[in-house]
């Protein structure tokens, strides 16, 4: 069988520490028909010298190697430089600090060749330490809840580039002018989500990829609270942009957008702590307003009092968010853990499930709960949104049944 060309796009900024391992990972592949498009994104280290050194090695191995360089504009811009040069029937993209098993490309090509109804294949991998390569954790399917599209969109599965291979024609059919939006982050989502939407996705139950955990990587270089919140908002805006360009019904688009807002809100709440509550009251109030807007509790409260499900840190965060409001006061906690019932948690009484009454109470559920709790609420006459707000429920419900 004639091997079909596989194009591999590699954006790189200051990758001198990792290029030997990465390039040898490609040279050692059992599948040699590769087109490597390496984009030096304004590196100021020895990236260019190392890349050009390997150019002859790739040529001797029968591997096409295209070297491009320019000013530092970010990974998305570097991908846009590479995309018009892609010639392979199959396409991949890699981060410079990751590497793969020697049969990585062969196994993925073989899968797509044997499954012509699939446009994308995802393998499994593992996370390893940067300097020792010691195993840290598994990487791959992680917490699959629904389709790959919704799982990647809402963070249940990763969009780590080395996990995926796509058919080039399927990718280009989804990208306007063979390009993506030049965001500072999220370039992987832009490449994966439009293809995954078609639900022609395949899975290889094999560990073929090594994700190197770097403490100082770009994705972890957000030290201040402001940096973290900006990243959450930037990725929310990017998700919105991706959804806006998808060929889906308007009703589906609006549902996805609402859930993207909820997802970002949840991330912001998870990042908050007691220090933030004390030092940034205006920000806390903005989160409360966003929470009230997305939950719609204004229209549902009537004369009912607010209770929080779960006497726990997650519930206490929601309480803090509402504490400065003159409009909403938290009456207490509801918990089915009998050891907590009748006791005060941070000054508020905890009640058991026997007091549940949807005529007198409106519930806020801030933590991820088991389905049996939702069923219990239904038995007690509580309906989603009208009687309780679960900011994870709509995401999970949409992912599972949407």
């Amino acid at each position: 069988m004639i091997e079909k060309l596989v194009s591999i796009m590699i954006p790189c900024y200051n990758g001198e520490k990792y290029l030997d391992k990465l390039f040898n990972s490609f040279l050692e592949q059992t599948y040699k028909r590769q087109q490597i498009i390496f984009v030096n994104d304004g590196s100021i280290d020895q990236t260019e010298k190392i890349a050009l050194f390997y150019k002859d090695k790739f040529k001797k191995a029968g591997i096409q190697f295209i070297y491009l360089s320019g000013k530092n504009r970010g990974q998305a811009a570097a991908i846009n430089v590479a995309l018009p040069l892609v010639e392979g029937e199959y396409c991949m993209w890699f981060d410079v600090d990751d590497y793969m098993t020697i049969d990585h490309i062969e196994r993925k090509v073989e899968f797509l060749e044997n499954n012509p109804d699939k446009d994308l294949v995802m393998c499994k991998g593992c996370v390893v330490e940067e300097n020792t390569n010691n195993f840290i954790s598994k990487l791959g399917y992680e917490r699959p809840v629904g389709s790959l599209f919704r799982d990647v969109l809402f963070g249940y599965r990763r969009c780590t580039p080395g996990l995926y291979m796509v058919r080039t024609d399927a990718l280009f059919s989804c990208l306007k002018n063979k390009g993506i939006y030049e965001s500072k982050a999220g370039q992987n989502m832009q490449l994966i989500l439009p293809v995954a939407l078609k639900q022609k996705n395949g899975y290889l139950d094999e560990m073929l990829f090594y994700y190197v955990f770097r403490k100082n990587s770009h994705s972890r270089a957000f030290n201040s609270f402001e940096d973290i919140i900006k990243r959450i908002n930037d990725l929310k805006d990017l998700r919105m942009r991706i959804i806006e360009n998808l060929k889906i019904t308007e009703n589906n688009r609006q549902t996805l957008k609402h859930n993207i807002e909820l997802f970002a809100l949840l991330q912001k709440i998870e990042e908050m702590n007691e220090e933030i509550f004390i030092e940034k009251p205006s920000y806390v109030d903005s989160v409360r307003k966003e929470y009230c807007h997305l939950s719609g509790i204004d229209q549902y409260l009537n004369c009912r009092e607010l209770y929080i499900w779960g006497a726990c840190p997650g519930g206490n965060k929601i309480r803090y968010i509402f504490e400065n409001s003159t409009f909403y006061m938290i009456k207490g906690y509801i918990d089915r853990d009998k050891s907590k019932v009748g006791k005060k948690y941070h000054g508020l009484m905890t009640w058991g499930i026997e007091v549940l009454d949807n005529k007198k109470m409106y519930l806020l559920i801030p933590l991820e709960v088991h389905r049996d709790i939702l069923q219990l609420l239904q038995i007690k006459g509580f309906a989603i949104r009208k009687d309780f707000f679960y900011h994870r429920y709509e995401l999970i419900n949409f992912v599972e049944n949407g």
Side-chain angles (χ1 to χ4, degrees), residues 177-230:
N177 299 322
K178 290 187 179 181
I180 61 175
Y181 174 65
E182 294 189 3
S183 57
K184 292 185 178 180
Q187 69 280 350
N188 298 324
M189 278 196 297
Q190 294 192 68
L191 294 168
I192 294 168
L193 287 176
V195 180
L197 177 66
K198 298 179 180 180
Q199 298 192 44
K200 296 181 178 180
N201 310 310
Y203 304 90
L204 265 173
D205 192 17
E206 300 177 34
M207 198 288 294
L208 301 173
F209 169 70
Y210 299 95
Y211 174 86
V212 179
F213 179 81
R214 292 167 54 196
K215 291 182 180 179
N216 298 318
S217 71
H218 171 74
S219 61
R220 295 182 184 85
F222 299 92
N223 299 317
S224 72
F225 179 74
E226 288 77 11
D227 286 343
I228 293 170
I229 298 306
K230 185 179 185 305

Side-chain angles (χ1 to χ4, degrees), residues 2 13 43 91 127 144 150 166 179 191 203 236 296 311-312 351 398:
I2 298 175
Y13 175 72
S43 299
C91 182
V127 182
R150 296 184 181 100
V166 301
L191 294 168
Y203 304 90
K236 180 190 76 173
C312 62
W351 307 87
F398 181 77

Side-chain angles (χ1 to χ4, degrees), residues 47-223:
T47 288
E48 181 170 77
K49 181 179 178 180
I50 297 170
L52 293 178
F53 170 77
Y54 274 88
K55 191 170 184 178
D56 286 338
K57 290 192 174 187
F58 282 121
K59 186 176 180 180
K60 289 178 182 178
I63 296 172
Q64 296 182 41
F65 183 78
I66 299 172
Y67 175 80
L68 303 163
S69 65
K71 295 181 180 179
N72 178 239
R73 295 166 54 206
Q75 286 191 314
I79 289 291
N80 276 342
V81 171
L83 278 168
L85 302 176
V86 169
E87 296 178 352
E89 181 158 347
Y90 302 116
C91 182
M92 303 168 59
W93 56 101
F94 253 79
D95 288 335
V96 293
D97 50 353
D98 301 328
Y99 59 103
M100 52 190 162
T101 62
I102 61 171
D103 59 345
H104 179 113
I105 297 177
E106 180 182 5
R107 293 295 296 122
K108 286 183 173 178
V109 170
E110 185 178 66
F111 179 92
L112 290 173
E113 286 289 291
N114 292 334
N115 296 274
D117 60 319
K118 306 297 184 186
D119 287 336
L120 173 154
V121 60
M122 177 186 185
C123 70
K124 288 185 175 180
C126 63
V127 182
V128 296
E129 290 180 344
E130 179 177 1
N131 297 316
T132 66
N133 292 324
N134 289 335
F135 175 86
I136 296 177
S137 64
K138 294 180 180 178
L139 175 75
Y141 304 164
E142 288 154 305
R143 299 178 293 150
V145 177
S147 70
L148 178 64
F149 171 79
R150 296 184 181 100
D151 281 358
V152 169
L153 184 64
F154 296 124
Y156 291 101
R157 288 194 252 202
R158 299 204 193 190
C159 51
T160 307
L163 296 175
Y164 299 91
M165 178 184 283
V166 301
R167 293 187 191 276
T168 302
D169 58 356
L171 176 63
F172 283 164
S173 70
C174 300
L175 300 181
K176 186 177 181 180
N177 299 322
K178 290 187 179 181
I180 61 175
Y181 174 65
E182 294 189 3
S183 57
K184 292 185 178 180
Q187 69 280 350
N188 298 324
M189 278 196 297
Q190 294 192 68
L191 294 168
I192 294 168
L193 287 176
V195 180
L197 177 66
K198 298 179 180 180
Q199 298 192 44
K200 296 181 178 180
N201 310 310
Y203 304 90
L204 265 173
D205 192 17
E206 300 177 34
M207 198 288 294
L208 301 173
F209 169 70
Y210 299 95
Y211 174 86
V212 179
F213 179 81
R214 292 167 54 196
K215 291 182 180 179
N216 298 318
S217 71
H218 171 74
S219 61
R220 295 182 184 85
F222 299 92
N223 299 317

Side-chain angles (χ1 to χ4, degrees), residues 24 38 41 76 88 110 126 216 229 314 358-359 373 396:
N24 283 315
F38 185 88
D41 186 36
E110 185 178 66
C126 63
N216 298 318
I229 298 306
N358 66 340
K359 300 292 190 297
I373 290 177
I396 295 174

Side-chain angles (χ1 to χ4, degrees), residues 212-256:
V212 179
F213 179 81
R214 292 167 54 196
K215 291 182 180 179
N216 298 318
S217 71
H218 171 74
S219 61
R220 295 182 184 85
F222 299 92
N223 299 317
S224 72
F225 179 74
E226 288 77 11
D227 286 343
I228 293 170
I229 298 306
K230 185 179 185 305
R231 180 172 174 82
I232 291 172
N233 286 328
D234 287 346
L235 287 174
K236 180 190 76 173
D237 292 343
L238 179 62
R239 286 180 170 96
M240 292 293 194
R241 180 180 287 269
I242 293 171
I243 297 306
E244 193 61 46
N245 293 323
L246 293 178
K247 296 177 181 178
I248 55 178
T249 66
E250 191 56 33
N251 183 60
N252 198 1
R253 193 186 323 278
Q254 293 307 316
T255 302
L256 283 170

